[in-house]
Amino acid sequence: MRKFILTILLFLCTLGAFAGEGMWLPFLLQEINEKDMKAKGLKISAEDIYSVRDGSLKDAILIFGGGCTGEVVSNKGLVFTNHHCGYGTVNNLSSVKNDYLTDGFFAKNQGEEIPCPGLSVRFIRKIEDVTASIMDGITEDMDKETRDKKIKARAKSIKEKAALESGLEISLKSFFYGNEYYMFYIERYNDVRLVAFPPNGIGKFGGDTDNWAWPRHTGDFGVFRIYANKDNKAAAYSEDNVPYNPKRHFKINIGGLQEGDFSMVYGFPGSTQQYLTSDGINETMNVLDPARIKIRAKRLGYMEAAMKESKANFIKYASKQARVANYYKKWQGELLGLKLNDAVNKKKAKEREFLSWARKNPVRWAKYGDIIDKQKALYQNKEQNELQYNYIRECLRASELVALGRYGDSLLTVNDLYSRKDDFKRIVKRIASGIKRMDVETDRKITTALYEMYRTKFGEANEISDQSVQAMYSSSVFSDISKLNTLLDSQNPLDITKAIKEDPVYLASKYITTENKKVLTDLRPDIISLRENYRTYMQGLREQSKKPLYPDANFSLRLTYGKMEGLEAQDGMQYNMYTTLGGAVRKRNTEVEEFNMPQRLVDLYEKKDFGRYATWHKGKKDVPVCLLSSLHTTGGNSGSPIMNAYGELIGTNFDRIWEGTMSDINYDVNLCRNISVDVRYVLFIIEKFGNAKWIIDEMDIVETRHY
Ligand code: ARG
Ligand code: ASP
């Protein structure tokens, strides 16, 4: 009997240890996670999720644009991602006349799909462990700088060779703070077109008020299509291109979900810091987060005021505001969560445990005994530089006009009298389009306020003084294209050189680059030492741990699994596993832009015109909108597929709850949940709201729930 209880206990422990936490490497699933996943309910094999052979689910996952995930949902290259992931692209396609952000866009057929210049998607074709080749000849006794340089050079040559041999893009990433290295073979598709995009009243419903929070009613999805050439190969945009036929696409399950169902998210989590020492957490809490929040509050005030002034300004700032507001809020949640949950003291307790484990063995003690103290000293030493680095990024780089100063160097290097006119024209065009993208008066206000914040903290300098800032907007050639043209038309190259070199925008831009370099040079030795110490610390943590640890997120392909579940988020406050369209309609407020849902959607709700996408909710028919699950996700996981136990798509991940925003530093399954948009809501909006059933007809839809 005792043995039996012990076995049960042991069993529960292994499972408990895994609950929800972890962003696992897909090529190690079989070795590390498959047994646990099966025990929790997975019905397919690790090989179905990731295989070196073509056709596993990994071939249906992609990097969308610069920092999101997407999934292929038809054999004609149809892609689902989030509304907020396509927001910048669709903002660029929009104008006062064609405002797809406010009005949405649903192509009526393939011919109406809109090309998206600058947008690309990337598939991971192969992953290779290159740790041994990177480490060959690299020894522990090398000094840190040399080691760092050698590894960088080695990585560069391995990448170049692989790129040459494969004809693919290569990315080589370090895992566990430089203890392991993996190489990713990437195929990029540059012809991506917009297929469907709900209006803000659906895709951004709830806006910043509901961002990072539950209950949530945002239809945060967008639909795109990948095009390839006639041989199904990646190609630049061309009218002759055809829909891309993928190696794998998702089946979609609309059969319904229940609390406790196994689920998983597969995608590209950007960055986490799960193994930070307590002093690292302190830095985020006491130095970085408060500063960044304060600065962004100022900047947002001006952006939001401008957006209310005119439609033109709305289009100019919509995507920029969303980006700035997102982390402005996230850092507040993170700070609050770290405080409320005593993250620093919890980490200190773990550190004490680690040290007493190390103390038990003299070899270990020699290696790990002083590691945490060393990190403390480094964090203290770099604090001011780190803060300044963040201030430069958040304050000085917030000015869009000053950012245009970078073209000054190109203007100065145009010497060849024959090509001068053409070269100038090209540069002027770029500057002109930069000016068009901002409201100059709003930018002046932002620059004035944020440069003052910077000066108050880090001292006066001529180039960024208030006087210079005002001159930038009144007399700089970078803020006035006609002035710039007059200057460039002058026959005397010396005049041009002199004017540019004295221009306040150019001077500020130069100053910022130089300051940034200085700070980085000062920071570098500490950063390298910190990283090296973390490499050692990580070895210790892995030795100490009885279960396998997962590496921090680094925007490489990962799988996380757990279940569909709500949460008692705060004392007396229960979060359900899903929300409904009925709930969204009740939240509607036509007076408040963030909650101004289109009347057409309300009409559909009232007519109960839900097609096959309805569920029974409290005795009434309704459409599920958002879902909660205990899966470990982070920024970059937006747009990732959330799947059932059979690997079928049940939604698209897009956010986390307020109580768990600290999860990048201190994941806790009792506080953290990820939020997805239910695929039934996505299909309902496309078919009933967008009248675009032709898109649905391409998909493989499973209508029944598997038991
Ligand atoms: N918080 C989510 C993420 O980090 C969604 C953000 C989109 N919404 C917004 N208001 N910016 O990306
Ligand atoms: N919204 C995030 C993203 O864009 C996801 C998250 O932070 O949970 O990737």
Side-chain angles (χ1 to χ4, degrees):
M1 185 64 187
R2 242 187 95 204
K3 202 169 156 210
F4 176 71
I5 292 179
L6 248 161
T7 329
I8 294 264
L9 268 179
L10 213 81
F11 180 69
L12 286 177
C13 277
T14 10
L15 290 188
F18 276 105
E21 179 167 2
M23 301 168 162
W24 302 99
L25 296 166
F27 45 93
L28 295 179
L29 286 179
Q30 202 163 29
E31 196 181 316
I32 298 180
N33 315 88
E34 190 173 28
K35 219 170 126 204
D36 182 53
M37 292 172 81
K38 287 255 159 99
K40 290 200 164 116
L42 177 71
K43 298 290 190 222
I44 55 177
S45 68
E47 180 84 7
D48 293 329
I49 297 173
Y50 177 89
S51 167
V52 281
R53 277 176 276 121
D54 281 349
S56 64
L57 287 176
K58 88 150 200 327
D59 292 318
I61 317 272
L62 49 88
I63 297 176
F64 184 87
C68 275
T69 306
E71 57 272 10
V72 187
V73 293
S74 86
N75 61 6
K76 290 187 189 160
L78 202 65
V79 169
F80 280 173
T81 186
N82 291 143
H83 189 266
H84 80 263
C85 294
Y87 208 61
T89 297
V90 177
N91 195 164
N92 285 340
L93 298 174
S94 295
S95 60
V96 171
K97 228 168 90 205
N98 285 319
D99 177 1
Y100 302 130
L101 301 182
T102 307
D103 305 329
F105 172 79
F106 293 88
K108 288 192 194 62
N109 50 55
Q110 226 167 274
E112 275 192 11
E113 294 171 3
I114 309 176
C116 304
L119 178 64
S120 68
V121 300
R122 285 170 272 173
F123 289 94
I124 305 298
R125 293 308 185 202
K126 194 167 86 175
I127 308 176
E128 219 172 85
D129 183 350
V130 290
T131 314
S133 5
I134 293 269
M135 291 303 177
D136 187 31
I138 307 251
T139 54
E140 287 300 325
D141 54 1
M142 282 177 175
D143 76 89
K144 290 174 178 158
E145 293 267 349
T146 316
R147 197 173 186 281
D148 190 62
K149 269 198 200 121
K150 280 212 159 124
I151 289 181
K152 277 201 184 118
R154 183 72 54 74
K156 188 164 173 260
S157 76
I158 293 176
K159 271 168 67 172
E160 281 169 2
K161 187 163 168 266
L164 207 68
E165 283 170 8
S166 65
L168 295 173
E169 274 179 38
I170 304 292
S171 133
L172 199 159
K173 289 178 187 273
S174 129
F175 291 73
F176 294 113
Y177 289 97
N179 282 299
E180 285 164 27
Y181 290 87
Y182 293 97
M183 184 155 75
F184 299 81
Y185 291 77
I186 296 167
E187 194 167 13
R188 186 190 287 267
Y189 288 77
N190 284 312
D191 187 351
V192 183
R193 304 185 196 172
L194 178 66
V195 181
F197 206 69
N200 275 357
I202 294 172
K204 203 174 184 271
F205 184 74
D208 293 323
T209 305
D210 276 5
N211 193 16
W212 299 107
W214 188 264
R216 191 64 159 275
H217 300 88
T218 314
D220 199 342
F221 78 91
V223 187
F224 292 79
R225 191 190 301 283
I226 310 165
Y227 280 76
N229 67 17
K230 294 223 164 65
D231 304 321
N232 205 33
K233 292 273 180 311
Y237 170 81
S238 154
E239 270 183 34
D240 301 332
N241 284 349
V242 293
Y244 166 64
N245 179 213
K247 296 179 198 286
R248 177 76 190 252
H249 67 271
F250 276 98
K251 279 190 180 157
I252 293 171
N253 190 299
I254 58 168
L257 303 162
Q258 275 172 16
E259 184 104 15
D261 280 358
F262 177 89
S263 62
M264 49 193 174
V265 159
Y266 204 1
F268 293 88
S271 145
T272 57
Q273 297 176 292
Q274 224 58 243
Y275 305 102
L276 225 50
T277 60
S278 52
D279 295 292
I281 301 183
N282 256 325
E283 180 187 71
T284 300
M285 283 176 72
N286 300 322
V287 184
L288 303 182
D289 278 355
R292 299 189 284 212
I293 293 165
K294 191 172 83 183
I295 301 167
R296 287 208 174 182
K298 262 253 150 61
R299 187 171 173 194
L300 279 170
Y302 294 114
M303 284 182 162
E304 284 161 12
M307 284 169 76
K308 288 199 185 96
E309 265 167 26
S310 67
K311 181 95 167 181
N313 278 352
F314 171 80
I315 301 280
K316 282 175 181 171
Y317 286 98
S319 173
K320 293 171 197 164
Q321 183 275 345
R323 192 180 57 76
V324 175
N326 193 31
Y327 269 60
Y328 165 64
K329 191 167 178 189
K330 145 121 198 240
W331 290 322
Q332 295 177 60
E334 179 174 274
L335 190 53
L336 190 74
L338 292 172
K339 272 189 198 151
L340 276 178
N341 298 294
D342 207 15
V344 169
N345 282 321
K346 275 188 196 148
K347 194 55 106 161
K348 279 191 175 154
K350 279 196 186 155
E351 287 165 359
R352 280 194 298 273
E353 233 173 79
F354 176 77
L355 290 178
S356 70
W357 165 83
R359 211 173 271 121
K360 289 189 187 123
N361 169 320
V363 180
R364 268 192 223 153
W365 185 246
K367 187 169 174 188
Y368 304 123
D370 59 353
I371 202 96
I372 290 160
D373 287 342
K374 279 198 213 151
Q375 299 300 70
K376 183 195 239 8
L378 287 163
Y379 278 116
Q380 274 166 1
N381 197 52
K382 84 176 173 95
E383 186 178 303
Q384 276 312 300
N385 283 325
E386 187 69 56
L387 187 64
Q388 188 170 8
Y389 176 68
N390 276 270
Y391 259 79
I392 291 176
R393 214 179 41 205
E394 293 290 327
C395 286
L396 300 185
R397 296 223 191 271
S399 171
E400 292 184 68
L401 178 58
V402 173
L404 296 179
R406 69 183 181 280
Y407 292 117
D409 283 330
S410 332
L411 292 173
L412 287 174
T413 49
V414 176
N415 286 322
D416 175 0
L417 284 177
Y418 293 101
S419 66
R420 252 177 79 186
K421 273 240 144 32
D422 288 343
D423 286 347
F424 279 158
K425 248 193 227 149
R426 220 172 304 125
I427 300 166
V428 170
K429 229 173 132 185
R430 292 209 188 115
I431 296 173
S433 89
I435 296 175
K436 254 198 226 134
R437 265 181 263 131
M438 65 175 118
D439 173 50
V440 177
E441 184 49 23
T442 302
D443 195 59
R444 190 186 64 78
K445 287 181 189 155
I446 291 175
T447 308
T448 305
L450 269 55
Y451 279 39
E452 190 192 336
M453 274 181 128
Y454 182 87
R455 294 191 309 264
T456 312
K457 191 91 193 156
F458 294 101
E460 289 290 335
N462 257 340
E463 295 88 338
I464 54 164
S465 68
D466 195 51
Q467 207 183 0
S468 302
V469 169
Q470 302 319 317
M472 290 177 201
Y473 294 87
S474 59
S475 62
S476 164
V477 292
F478 292 90
S479 64
D480 185 337
I481 289 299
S482 63
K483 244 189 225 158
L484 182 61
N485 275 325
T486 318
L487 171 69
L488 298 181
D489 280 342
S490 83
Q491 287 309 301
N492 186 351
L494 287 177
D495 289 348
I496 300 176
T497 310
K498 186 166 181 292
I500 297 288
K501 283 194 167 162
E502 287 171 1
D503 189 282
V505 167
Y506 179 70
L507 286 173
S509 157
K510 274 277 179 230
Y511 173 81
I512 295 167
T513 313
T514 314
E515 279 301 289
N516 199 48
K517 258 201 201 121
K518 256 198 247 161
V519 174
L520 280 178
T521 311
D522 278 358
L523 260 176
R524 212 180 111 81
D526 287 343
I527 299 280
I528 292 179
S529 297
L530 271 168
R531 205 194 316 129
E532 278 296 294
N533 293 339
Y534 270 124
R535 183 169 65 87
T536 308
Y537 183 42
M538 200 68 235
Q539 292 167 4
L541 288 173
R542 290 173 91 182
E543 262 177 64
Q544 182 203 11
S545 171
K546 294 190 181 63
K547 55 179 171 106
L549 299 182
Y550 58 92
D552 265 322
N554 58 358
F555 206 54
S556 65
L557 186 62
R558 303 290 180 92
L559 186 101
T560 170
Y561 58 95
K563 54 187 171 185
M564 305 309 299
E565 57 175 330
L567 177 77
E568 184 177 327
Q570 291 168 36
D571 185 35
M573 191 201 261
Q574 183 64 36
Y575 284 175
N576 288 346
M577 187 199 88
Y578 67 96
T579 56
T580 59
L581 180 55
V585 169
R586 278 189 292 281
K587 255 192 194 175
R588 181 187 195 222
N589 182 349
T590 49
E591 303 294 309
V592 179
E593 198 205 299
E594 288 186 325
F595 292 92
N596 191 6
M597 168 193 290
Q599 182 60 43
R600 264 176 54 62
L601 183 55
V602 180
D603 295 343
L604 286 170
Y605 175 70
E606 270 156 14
K607 281 188 291 188
K608 302 273 175 272
D609 187 3
F610 301 148
R612 51 183 167 159
Y613 309 114
T615 187
W616 285 98
H617 176 72
K618 297 192 174 154
K620 279 195 202 136
K621 266 194 171 179
D622 211 328
V623 185
V625 175
C626 289
L627 298 168
L628 271 193
S629 44
S630 50
L631 307 174
H632 191 175
T633 56
T634 185
N637 267 129
S638 271
S640 301
I642 176 166
M643 301 167 264
N644 64 12
Y646 295 83
E648 295 162 346
L649 191 77
I650 53 174
T652 300
N653 178 76
F654 73 94
D655 206 6
R656 285 169 279 166
I657 63 169
W658 187 241
E659 291 76 7
T661 23
M662 56 163 195
S663 71
D664 293 344
I665 294 176
N666 180 38
Y667 184 85
D668 181 344
V669 76
N670 298 312
L671 296 164
C672 299
R673 289 291 178 274
N674 66 309
I675 305 176
S676 310
V677 54
D678 193 307
V679 76
R680 288 169 286 181
Y681 191 56
V682 174
L683 301 191
F684 161 74
I685 294 293
I686 295 174
E687 182 174 327
K688 296 290 181 176
F689 181 84
N691 286 322
K693 179 142 187 313
W694 71 275
I695 303 172
I696 311 266
D697 292 338
E698 277 181 46
M699 303 176 194
D700 289 334
I701 297 179
V702 181
E703 300 205 25
T704 49
R705 183 184 150 79
H706 310 280
Y707 284 94

